[in-house]
Amino acid sequence: MKTFLRTIILLTICCIAITTSGCASDTDFELTPISEIRENFSRTAEELKAAEFDNLDFSKAEFSFPEIDSISKLSVTDFAGKSLREMYDFYYDSLETLMPGVYSEEEKLNGILLSDINRDPYLPYLPIDEYELAAEGGDLMMVFRDSKCYIQAGGYIQWFDNDDLYQWKGDEVTSIPLTDYLDSAGPAVDYITDMNREDKYELIDGEISIKDAAEFADNFLETTTLTPYETSVKTRIIAADVVDIGGGKYGYGFFTTCEYKNVLFDYPELDDVNRARYVMNDYDDRRYSSWYGQVAMIQSDKVFHMISLLSYSVEETETYTSIISLQDAAWIVSDFYSKHMDFSVSKVEAVYLKYEGTAFPCWKFVMRCRGNVYDTLVDMHTGEVHVYIQAGK
């Protein structure tokens, strides 16, 4: 069965015909004010669609650029600094928020288990009172798991699943498994990037349009406290699968990524429900933190499932009001690859590419060649090129 989480595999791609002169660009470029790029963006996009490159075809590409006047290089770190009790109180409140009125005080006290996942020797998951005796700080993780609910959290809520889907399908579980949505639900029948579509599907409590469901999920993410830490990083919906859960009913599985000041963090391409995507390592063996989360609904007024949500603490280390223009970035990409390759560019956008503890502002070109997707990113300030490849099934 096709999984809702696309499987990650790593591939050495030294045999792929790309230039090997290194990451830095040999293309001459000047920095252009972002305000000028934004003002002329639509015209530039049309010019690129009509332009002739030796190895790039932009004729069917979709272009987007955020409403910004500056963009920054970011220092990205995991959340830290709260006391054990502060984090426990957050976990306790989150359980009540996600599963209101379901658990007694005693069930919460005994069911919320804590551990330091990086501790050596390993510290098992323990209730708060036992953990306080054993713990000496560290990288705190929480898990709550029974037949009604699964929640896992560190500095923020990462995973959540209640038993709504299992009840609908008539499956009895003694402990909610940590699994992805489609493993338990069924096949995806549609893939959607336009969250304003008015198409309606029948969920288990009635019809709701893609637009209204997306607005509900977005509002849930906006108003639900997923971390006790202050952060300017938001969770945004980027796409959705429509999933056939049986009995003439459907569910919406929304893909998410992080956003900082209107600029999305990079995520793998997800555009075809009929073929899995595999995120590869970069050609120079750097492995980028490009991923996505999921938020799912099978009822019109409830999120029942979240998995792989991400969030960070960020600090601006350099801020740019002028960057490499889109035209120059396109030439950098063209010069980077062999002239014997023939790429169809499907999407161009501005993203943050996270690598180790830094997020770099980049132009991203999603390009297809010989059944594979070449996610090619150009650093907006330096012109450095980053590549990872998603191999076709």
Side-chain angles (χ1 to χ4, degrees):
M1 181 180 293
K2 179 180 179 291
T3 59
F4 193 65
L5 271 179
R6 273 62 173 181
T7 307
I8 294 182
I9 62 173
L10 295 179
L11 173 70
T12 302
I13 57 174
C14 57
C15 60
I16 293 174
I18 60 177
T19 59
T20 57
S21 58
C23 295
S25 169
D26 293 328
T27 306
D28 293 331
F29 60 83
E30 295 182 355
L31 300 183
T32 303
I34 291 177
S35 58
E36 182 179 324
I37 291 173
R38 192 181 67 246
E39 181 180 350
N40 298 322
F41 190 76
S42 295
R43 186 180 67 198
T44 302
E46 291 304 314
E47 290 174 351
L48 282 176
K49 286 184 177 183
E52 294 186 2
F53 291 82
D54 290 335
N55 50 6
L56 303 179
D57 178 3
F58 285 93
S59 62
K60 297 180 180 179
E62 295 181 357
F63 295 80
S64 63
F65 191 72
E67 290 291 326
I68 57 173
D69 292 311
S70 64
I71 196 166
S72 300
K73 187 164 122 179
L74 306 175
S75 172
V76 181
T77 56
D78 293 331
F79 295 120
K82 297 287 186 183
S83 69
L84 173 62
R85 274 291 164 176
E86 286 176 313
M87 291 307 301
Y88 178 80
D89 289 343
F90 164 67
Y91 299 147
Y92 186 96
D93 293 342
S94 296
L95 179 56
E96 183 60 29
T97 297
L98 295 170
M99 301 290 290
V102 174
Y103 297 104
S104 67
E105 300 296 313
E106 183 178 358
E107 287 174 320
K108 294 175 187 174
L109 181 64
N110 294 326
I112 295 176
L113 305 179
L114 308 173
S115 179
D116 178 356
I117 59 173
N118 291 323
R119 183 186 176 100
D120 186 18
Y122 173 70
L123 179 66
Y125 280 94
L126 300 168
I128 180 67
D129 293 338
E130 297 180 42
Y131 185 88
E132 283 185 306
L133 296 175
E136 299 175 357
D139 191 359
L140 187 68
M141 291 293 294
M142 177 277 273
V143 65
F144 183 96
R145 186 176 190 179
D146 66 4
S147 62
K148 306 184 193 74
C149 172
Y150 181 96
I151 299 176
Q152 181 172 313
Y156 57 95
I157 302 296
Q158 298 165 320
W159 291 328
F160 164 68
D161 196 306
N162 65 28
D163 65 343
D164 285 354
L165 180 61
Y166 299 99
Q167 287 188 31
W168 161 249
K169 296 182 76 68
D171 297 334
E172 292 187 9
V173 292
T174 58
S175 182
I176 297 288
L178 178 57
T179 184
D180 71 57
Y181 181 57
L182 282 189
D183 276 344
S184 302
V189 298
D190 196 5
Y191 174 78
I192 299 156
T193 56
D194 180 5
M195 294 300 106
N196 289 313
R197 274 176 50 176
E198 297 285 356
D199 311 49
K200 293 183 178 181
Y201 286 87
E202 185 83 16
L203 276 58
I204 65 175
D205 64 341
E207 281 190 346
I208 184 172
S209 69
I210 294 163
K211 181 176 184 289
D212 289 343
E215 287 178 354
F216 179 88
D218 202 35
N219 183 66
F220 171 85
L221 292 169
E222 189 73 32
T223 59
T224 303
T225 302
L226 298 176
T227 177
Y229 292 92
E230 293 293 327
T231 180
S232 298
V233 175
K234 302 181 183 299
T235 302
R236 293 298 186 215
I237 291 172
I238 51 175
D241 274 344
V242 180
V243 182
D244 184 349
I245 64 172
K249 306 296 183 180
Y250 297 86
Y252 292 126
F254 296 103
F255 296 100
T256 68
T257 190
C258 295
E259 178 193 82
Y260 179 72
K261 291 188 175 180
N262 294 329
V263 180
L264 297 176
F265 276 60
D266 183 45
Y267 55 93
E269 193 65 3
L270 305 163
D271 66 342
D272 190 340
V273 298
N274 295 314
R275 89 183 161 108
R277 295 295 191 195
Y278 304 105
V279 179
M280 307 305 181
N281 61 308
D282 175 77
Y283 79 100
D284 59 3
D285 292 328
R286 287 179 293 181
R287 298 177 183 179
Y288 303 113
S289 301
S290 297
W291 196 233
Y292 53 87
Q294 301 156 42
V295 177
M297 299 169 59
I298 57 173
Q299 298 179 68
S300 61
D301 60 352
K302 185 191 294 187
V303 167
F304 88 95
H305 177 89
M306 301 185 295
I307 193 167
S308 297
L309 296 189
L310 298 173
S311 190
Y312 310 104
S313 175
V314 300
E315 181 181 353
E316 298 178 2
T317 57
E318 297 178 32
T319 298
Y320 315 118
T321 56
S322 294
I323 58 174
I324 294 172
S325 69
L326 176 55
Q327 300 98 317
D328 284 346
W331 281 110
I332 289 172
V333 172
S334 179
D335 290 345
F336 179 78
Y337 286 101
S338 166
K339 303 306 178 186
H340 299 291
M341 301 186 79
D342 185 15
F343 292 100
S344 174
V345 183
S346 61
K347 184 165 61 177
V348 180
E349 61 183 334
V351 299
Y352 277 115
L353 178 63
K354 183 174 177 289
Y355 174 61
E356 295 183 341
T358 303
F360 302 91
C362 293
W363 289 108
K364 181 177 183 180
F365 298 79
V366 180
M367 316 193 311
R368 287 163 173 76
C369 180
R370 300 168 189 167
N372 300 319
V373 176
Y374 290 71
D375 296 274
T376 306
L377 299 99
V378 178
D379 188 301
M380 289 180 168
H381 185 67
T382 66
E384 184 176 2
V385 178
H386 309 268
V387 180
Y388 62 91
I389 299 175
Q390 298 174 249
K393 187 175 180 181

